[in-house]
Amino acid sequence: MDWGMKNRMARIFKPNDNRTVMLAVDHGYFLGPTERLEIPSKTIEPLIPYADSLMLTRGVLRTSVKSTSDLPIVLRVSGGVSIISKDLSNEAITTSIEDAIRVNASAVTLSIFVGAEHEHQSLINLARLVNEGERYGIPVLAVTAVGKEMARDARYLSLACRIAAELGAHMVKTYYCENFEKVVEACPVPVIIAGGKKTSELDALQLTYNAIQHGASGVDMGRNIWQSDYPIAMLKAVRAIVHENFNFKESCDLFNRELKVKETER
Ligand code: 5RP
């Protein structure tokens, strides 16, 4: 890895613990105005102080995040489908590497769809993006998207994560599952977890704690943060698990203490 690549990776994974709290707000790229992300700036701005990086599209970045922000950007560069498309795996690269450089992205990201109809296309998208990222020292985060018909188990997620790493992804995002340590062991680059659909705050904290215990290098979490009625408290509690080694109970206590602090974002 050259200096620029290492430096960008260190902006995402904090060098003191090699972990990260990435805030995912890219959902609109295929879901449109997702609940509680209808006005992106309103959702994003209050959370910025508590995140290590922000995952989003160039459209939301340019319109909804101040250019004076020094939060590292993980730029989603794939898309071309919508929630009502017949096949969500039919994604292409939507954003040039030059545009990623222009917005000063610390990393670029795309989804891969192992086992889906457009598996080949999505894997070639990844390989090409890695080639471009290598040219300019920009790391690539591969998102292992899971189709409705695919099991989110260690066997399938290991397959998807390992293929992503073999094609050169510098980090991988996947889902937490039983035997998650096997997914991490078989993947030679850092693995972070998505939060998935909104659950209770306590379930999301338990998921975070379990993932970190079983080798995750952090989270790339969206809905379980900003669809909560207490997004700042949630983000602080998740952060404490990731960076301060809080256990589940300690994170719940922190969350409950934070509820008493006035949330100003809504
Ligand atoms: C969508 C994504 C999301 O960013 C990812 O799923 C994380 O968000 P959430 O925690 O809401 O699942 O990559 O394809």
Side-chain angles (χ1 to χ4, degrees):
M1 255 192 223
D2 66 17
W3 196 93
M5 182 74 79
K6 280 189 195 152
N7 180 262
R8 288 188 177 91
M9 285 294 276
R11 297 203 71 213
I12 294 166
F13 293 97
K14 296 297 156 197
N16 59 328
D17 59 9
N18 287 319
R19 287 186 184 161
T20 195
V21 176
M22 191 181 289
L23 181 66
V25 289
D26 61 323
H27 302 59
Y29 91 94
F30 76 105
L31 290 174
T34 316
E35 193 187 344
R36 299 212 175 168
L37 198 52
E38 294 91 343
I39 304 172
S41 59
K42 216 173 143 191
T43 306
I44 297 167
E45 215 167 290
L47 297 174
I48 282 183
Y50 311 101
D52 293 330
S53 64
L54 200 53
M55 179 198 194
L56 77 183
T57 59
R58 64 180 169 189
V60 168
L61 178 65
R62 285 174 182 159
T63 56
S64 312
V65 180
K66 290 192 179 112
S67 56
T68 47
S69 167
D70 65 356
L71 193 65
I73 296 303
V74 179
L75 193 69
R76 172 167 287 274
V77 299
S78 73
V81 291
S82 80
I83 187 67
I84 52 174
S85 297
K86 275 203 198 78
D87 182 1
L88 287 181
S89 72
N90 195 10
E91 284 195 1
I93 299 294
T94 55
T95 305
S96 67
I97 199 77
E98 288 79 10
D99 225 16
I101 294 166
R102 210 169 284 131
V103 299
N104 198 26
S106 294
V108 287
T109 184
L110 85 175
S111 295
I112 60 168
F113 298 85
V114 171
E117 190 178 338
H118 291 90
E119 171 187 275
H120 173 73
Q121 175 182 313
S122 73
L123 293 177
I124 297 304
N125 289 342
L126 169 60
R128 290 198 175 129
L129 190 61
V130 171
N131 290 341
E132 293 196 330
E134 291 290 347
R135 197 173 307 137
Y136 298 104
I138 301 184
V140 175
L141 167 67
V143 173
T144 62
V146 179
K148 282 189 193 108
E149 66 287 355
M150 280 172 245
R152 287 185 188 181
D153 61 18
R155 190 162 165 243
Y156 170 73
L157 296 176
S158 295
L159 175 75
C161 291
R162 179 59 176 266
I163 290 173
E166 298 264 355
L167 289 175
H170 304 89
M171 50 201 151
V172 175
K173 174 169 86 168
T174 193
Y175 293 92
Y176 180 73
C177 62
E178 213 173 299
N179 300 317
F180 186 72
E181 63 283 359
K182 292 198 181 344
V183 179
V184 174
E185 265 164 32
C187 183
V189 297
V191 178
I192 58 180
I193 60 144
K197 279 194 182 137
K198 173 80 176 73
T199 56
S200 74
E201 280 81 3
L202 297 194
D203 283 352
L205 292 176
Q206 183 76 67
L207 176 91
T208 305
Y209 177 71
N210 290 347
I212 295 296
Q213 283 304 295
H214 292 102
S217 297
V219 299
D220 178 16
M221 199 173 269
R223 289 163 291 181
N224 276 291
I225 304 288
W226 39 262
Q227 285 182 345
S228 166
D229 287 338
Y230 310 100
I232 292 179
M234 259 316 270
L235 191 48
K236 283 186 174 178
V238 166
R239 189 173 184 85
I241 296 171
V242 173
H243 285 306
E244 293 169 52
N245 289 317
F246 273 35
N247 64 30
F248 171 59
K249 184 182 175 308
E250 289 168 332
S251 73
C252 295
D253 292 345
L254 172 63
F255 176 73
N256 287 321
R257 279 199 305 278
E258 287 292 327
L259 292 196
K260 295 183 185 120
V261 177
K262 192 173 178 289
E263 298 255 344
T264 53
E265 68 271 25
R266 265 196 283 281

